[in-house]
Amino acid sequence: MPRYTVHIRDEWLTVPCRDSTYTIQWLGQEALKRYTKNKPDNGGIKKAVKDLKFVARRCQGLGLLDEDDTIEDVLEDNDFVEIAIEGDEMSSDFVPYQPGVSQLTTAYRESENYLLLDGNSLTSTDLVNLGKGLYKIKLTPEAENGVVKSRELLDTIVKENKVVYGITTGFGKFARTVIPVHKLKELQENLVRSHSAGLGNPLSPERTRMLLALRINVLAKGYSGISLETLHRMIQAFNASCLSFVPEKGTVGASGDLAPLSHLALGLMGEGKMWSPKSGWADAKYVLEAHGLKPISLKPKEGLALINGTQMITSLGAEAVERALAIARQADIIAAITLEVLKGTSKAFDSDIHALRPHPGQIEVARRFRSLLHSDHHPSEIAESHRFCDRVQDAYTMRCCPQVHGIVNDTIEFAQKIINTEINSATDNPMVFAERGETISGGNFHGEYPAKALDFLAIGVHELAAISERRIERLCNPSLSELPAFLVNEGGLNSGFMIAHCTAASLVSENKVLCHPSSVDSLSTSAATEDHVSMGGWSARKALRVIEHVEQVLAIELLAACQGIEFLRPLRTTTPLEKVYDLVRSVVKPWIKDRFMSPDINAVHRLLLDQKVWHVAQPYIEKYNMEFLPESRPTSPTAFSLDPPASPRKRVRHE
């Protein structure tokens, strides 16, 4: 029985058709019936289905379909169809119907820009941008030449019936089992099918794009023996955003990420499930067909070349590193606002202090604080209002930000170096050395490097949330902040930020468990052939979860700090921090009385994900760094100092 995949609003529905002489009008109404059937409010549709007006179009090519045409005349079995209801309106995120424009095409923009891959120069930033769909992929001529030479050597090995692991033998425990030449294609296909044993939710489209792009980059190095034809088909699938169903669980991180990479290859073979922006989830062979693509047909060694490596650990690690970089520098800005609200001093950020303990991260964080806080360059009315108070020094959560935030920056730099090296590393086995005319078995697939780095990254970045939660406590606690309890008027009637702080505390507590390093564990697999593994897949996944929690805790602190400013008005803070305050107020109103808080936290979290807090403050930080402005050292009664001492010679004569 023919079936059709129909997209309505944000859902994909499969509609079987008993008689292909039915019309497109019937198909649309049948899909709408299925859409409204299990929704208590009929999906917000108030008219009867038979009275609805809609436009139907093919997802592939976006051609409009006449409602009176028969299905057999205009559609193929398992074709993809989009139904757009006239006058349709849903949430603010929903793209309404526009005549002549596909909802799918409106929501998804296919990039016209290309990134050249050669296997040697890809960065974590590039990989994240590929995941976001900002680029398509092309190979450099040099990379293509290397791939061809590597493949020629493999073809020679097969032609001469030589016994080489993974090419003419089985795998792992079966390495000594020689496979007949006429079964070598089946050997590679069986490898991919049997190793596609992952479980759990699929990786998001962005993360699957990163995984596929990174695998292409590694194969482009020319040491895996992949054929240029197969590699080009992988690139075509990436450029069309045809993405395999890749479960997130199942890798032990040696011999590489076998299960997730097998699922990635399985979809490219036209088996299993696949997703694209224009088709949604469907059988892989139909998704490829809908985009005019052919499944890859595996040649000797190609199955092994597709699944052996650390690309899942590394691609997720690239995202973790980039998000860690973004939140670490924004954490400095948020902490600076909190310090202002809590009427702290900038004396602890004096450059002479940090020159005596010259860790790069510590020096950089202190410089950022000086560029944002009260100075001759950016005066703060809030700071001036308490310059003559009797406080001697601030709590550690403010005074020690350069030391605590600083090591986070240095940890991220270390992890980024490891990840960028891994991104451009050949991690296959065996390696094909065309210039030497031989293949060599080794252990480059072992994930210990990125696994250890990502465990370290999680431990380091978590500290931003740990110290932020303590600053939130100081903001909410009236005995520490000199502000209304929980940052709200009419306390008791209103609870203000009481439970927002609890949320931050719960996230920090979760991170304490997630920061336990998974790479200290190892379980022997493959009948003791793979007797030490990295567990790097979990290292990468939990590092991302830790970083997300850090972002959310800092979003709560930013909300609380901006709310604290409301109680200090009409006094103003420095120009860059006022710009950050204005940014937050563009998405979240001041907290006058209790309201639904989660949307506020999510809105500010979005600002941090988009790095908008950094982009607002960045020009002021860079100007301070570039112009070598003289350091401002405001005096206060608690900052004790003497006149400059006499020279040593004068002191001796005086004695």
Side-chain angles (χ1 to χ4, degrees):
M1 182 190 304
R3 60 177 185 173
Y4 304 92
T5 305
V6 183
H7 178 260
I8 300 178
R9 291 178 170 172
D10 56 350
E11 291 188 14
W12 293 91
L13 307 163
T14 299
V15 180
C17 180
R18 296 178 181 274
D19 187 346
S20 58
T21 61
Y22 289 165
T23 64
I24 295 296
Q25 173 77 9
W26 174 89
L27 179 65
Q29 289 184 344
E30 185 66 20
L32 286 166
K33 287 178 185 176
R34 291 169 180 266
Y35 175 78
T36 59
K37 182 178 180 181
N38 295 320
K39 293 182 171 55
D41 61 349
N42 290 328
I45 296 175
K46 297 179 180 176
K47 294 183 180 179
V49 169
K50 63 182 179 63
D51 297 326
L52 287 174
K53 294 183 179 180
F54 59 85
V55 172
R57 66 175 70 244
R58 292 187 68 183
C59 293
Q60 174 65 16
L62 306 179
L64 285 169
L65 299 171
D66 191 300
E67 62 181 24
D68 295 326
D69 283 342
T70 61
I71 293 173
E72 64 183 359
D73 289 339
V74 294
L75 296 178
E76 299 175 5
D77 184 18
N78 207 60
D79 221 335
F80 298 97
V81 178
E82 179 188 357
I83 299 296
I85 305 169
E86 287 190 5
D88 204 356
E89 290 185 4
M90 291 176 67
S91 70
S92 58
D93 295 328
F94 178 70
V95 181
Y97 164 74
Q98 300 175 44
V101 178
S102 168
Q103 294 175 21
L104 294 172
T105 306
T106 303
Y108 174 75
R109 290 283 184 265
E110 189 173 296
S111 176
E112 298 179 357
N113 300 316
Y114 284 85
L115 191 68
L116 290 173
L117 296 188
D118 59 8
N120 301 307
S121 53
L122 191 66
T123 68
S124 58
T125 304
D126 294 333
L127 189 56
V128 169
N129 286 335
L130 285 167
K132 292 177 180 177
L134 301 184
Y135 299 100
K136 293 182 179 179
I137 287 174
K138 285 183 181 178
L139 294 181
T140 64
E142 294 79 10
E144 291 189 343
N145 186 49
V147 169
V148 170
K149 288 182 178 179
S150 177
R151 186 65 213 178
E152 287 174 349
L153 176 59
L154 278 186
D155 291 340
T156 301
I157 290 171
V158 175
K159 185 177 180 181
E160 296 180 0
N161 292 319
K162 293 186 177 181
V163 178
V164 180
Y165 171 74
I167 302 173
T168 56
T169 76
F171 312 98
K173 190 70 174 176
F174 300 118
R176 297 181 182 179
T177 304
V178 179
I179 309 300
V181 173
H182 70 278
K183 290 191 174 183
L184 293 184
K185 182 177 186 295
E186 184 181 356
L187 169 70
Q188 300 300 317
E189 292 174 344
N190 286 346
L191 174 70
V192 173
R193 291 167 183 148
S194 66
H195 284 45
S196 296
L199 296 172
N201 294 325
L203 297 180
S204 67
E206 292 79 9
R207 289 174 180 170
T208 310
R209 256 194 291 264
M210 290 173 64
L211 180 63
L212 179 55
L214 184 52
R215 194 63 203 158
I216 291 169
N217 186 65
V218 170
L219 295 173
K221 292 183 72 68
Y223 293 95
S224 299
I226 199 83
S227 69
L228 191 59
E229 177 189 4
T230 297
L231 192 52
H232 278 162
R233 288 191 183 180
M234 294 175 69
I235 293 170
Q236 290 168 357
F238 177 88
N239 290 341
S241 228
C242 293
L243 307 171
S244 305
F245 183 103
V246 180
E248 63 181 2
K249 299 177 184 178
T251 176
V252 294
S255 155
D257 295 318
L258 291 173
L261 288 174
S262 295
H263 282 277
L264 185 72
L266 189 71
L268 297 170
M269 289 167 53
E271 300 181 24
K273 295 294 181 182
M274 188 172 262
W275 177 94
S276 85
K278 293 181 180 179
S279 67
W281 286 109
D283 292 343
K285 63 178 180 178
Y286 294 126
V287 175
L288 292 171
E289 284 178 11
H291 291 79
L293 303 178
K294 294 181 179 179
I296 59 176
S297 179
L298 297 182
K299 301 175 178 63
K301 209 271 186 182
E302 287 197 319
L304 191 60
L306 290 174
I307 72 172
N308 220 325
T310 62
Q311 280 66 61
M312 177 167 163
I313 306 171
T314 308
S315 60
L316 295 181
E319 181 187 343
V321 163
E322 290 297 311
R323 286 174 67 172
L325 277 169
I327 196 58
R329 56 193 184 188
Q330 291 178 110
D332 297 342
I333 301 165
I334 295 166
I337 300 176
T338 296
L339 184 138
E340 275 282 270
V341 172
L342 295 176
K343 299 181 179 178
T345 177
S346 60
K347 298 293 281 187
F349 311 119
D350 191 299
S351 61
D352 286 347
I353 292 177
H354 303 284
L356 299 178
R357 196 192 192 196
H359 293 294
Q362 178 176 330
I363 290 173
E364 177 59 27
V365 172
R367 185 185 296 118
R368 285 179 189 163
F369 271 79
R370 292 197 302 274
S371 70
L372 295 168
L373 291 171
H374 177 62
S375 67
D376 296 338
H377 321 296
H378 299 305
S380 164
E381 294 175 352
I382 294 175
E384 277 296 320
S385 73
H386 62 85
R387 185 149 66 97
F388 298 102
C389 69
D390 58 357
R391 290 185 186 178
V392 177
Q393 57 189 13
D394 293 322
Y396 289 0
T397 49
M398 295 182 284
R399 193 192 340 158
C400 298
C401 281
Q403 291 79 6
V404 178
H405 290 203
I407 182 58
V408 176
N409 283 269
D410 291 340
T411 301
I412 295 169
E413 183 179 355
F414 168 80
Q416 186 178 39
K417 182 179 179 181
I418 298 290
I419 292 298
N420 279 335
T421 299
E422 194 75 6
I423 283 173
N424 296 294
S425 296
T427 55
D428 200 352
N429 184 57
M431 308 299 284
V432 181
F433 293 91
E435 66 278 8
R436 291 172 55 175
E438 64 178 313
T439 63
I440 304 176
S441 290
N444 276 6
F445 50 70
H446 202 294
E448 200 74 9
Y449 262 99
K452 282 284 189 279
L454 293 170
D455 278 340
F456 186 25
L457 180 70
I459 292 168
V461 177
H462 158 73
E463 214 59 38
L464 294 176
I467 197 170
S468 173
E469 183 274 329
R470 289 292 81 203
R471 291 193 296 261
I472 297 169
E473 156 69 11
R474 300 190 76 84
L475 287 165
C476 291
N477 189 333
S479 64
L480 300 174
S481 68
E482 300 178 5
L483 299 171
F486 304 112
L487 301 171
V488 70
N489 288 319
E490 295 189 82
L493 176 63
N494 296 302
S495 296
F497 281 72
M498 181 188 296
I499 303 304
H501 172 234
C502 290
T503 299
S506 74
L507 295 174
V508 169
S509 184
E510 281 192 35
N511 276 2
K512 292 173 186 175
V513 176
L514 293 170
C515 283
H516 178 80
S518 66
S519 63
V520 301
D521 184 27
S522 176
L523 291 171
S524 179
T525 59
S526 192
T529 304
E530 299 162 4
D531 56 348
H532 182 276
V533 299
S534 72
M535 298 300 178
W538 179 224
S539 294
R541 286 167 48 221
K542 67 186 184 61
L544 278 168
R545 193 181 300 181
V546 166
I547 292 165
E548 181 181 43
H549 292 168
V550 171
E551 294 163 348
Q552 291 165 335
V553 171
L554 282 159
I556 293 170
E557 183 188 353
L558 180 54
L559 268 175
C562 289
Q563 179 65 14
I565 287 178
E566 306 297 341
F567 297 104
L568 302 179
R569 293 302 195 206
L571 299 178
R572 296 177 63 80
T573 182
T574 63
T575 300
L577 297 184
E578 284 289 343
K579 294 290 185 183
V580 175
Y581 168 86
D582 291 340
L583 171 68
V584 173
R585 286 292 169 253
S586 71
V587 296
V588 176
K589 297 181 294 185
W591 196 268
I592 307 301
K593 61 180 181 179
D594 281 352
R595 63 172 185 262
F596 185 18
M597 181 169 274
S598 288
D600 291 357
I601 299 172
N602 290 331
V604 176
H605 183 205
R606 186 76 252 171
L607 293 179
L608 296 176
L609 284 173
D610 295 338
Q611 301 189 55
K612 290 185 178 180
V613 171
W614 172 251
H615 294 152
V616 164
Q618 182 183 16
Y620 299 94
I621 296 172
E622 290 184 347
K623 183 177 181 181
Y624 182 89
N625 291 340
M626 291 175 61
E627 294 190 359
F628 301 102
L629 299 167
E631 188 170 332
S632 180
R633 293 183 166 107
T635 60
S636 72
T638 58
F640 179 73
S641 63
L642 295 171
D643 292 333
S647 67
R649 179 177 300 174
K650 288 183 178 180
R651 287 204 299 271
V652 170
R653 189 166 55 243
H654 178 73
E655 292 170 354

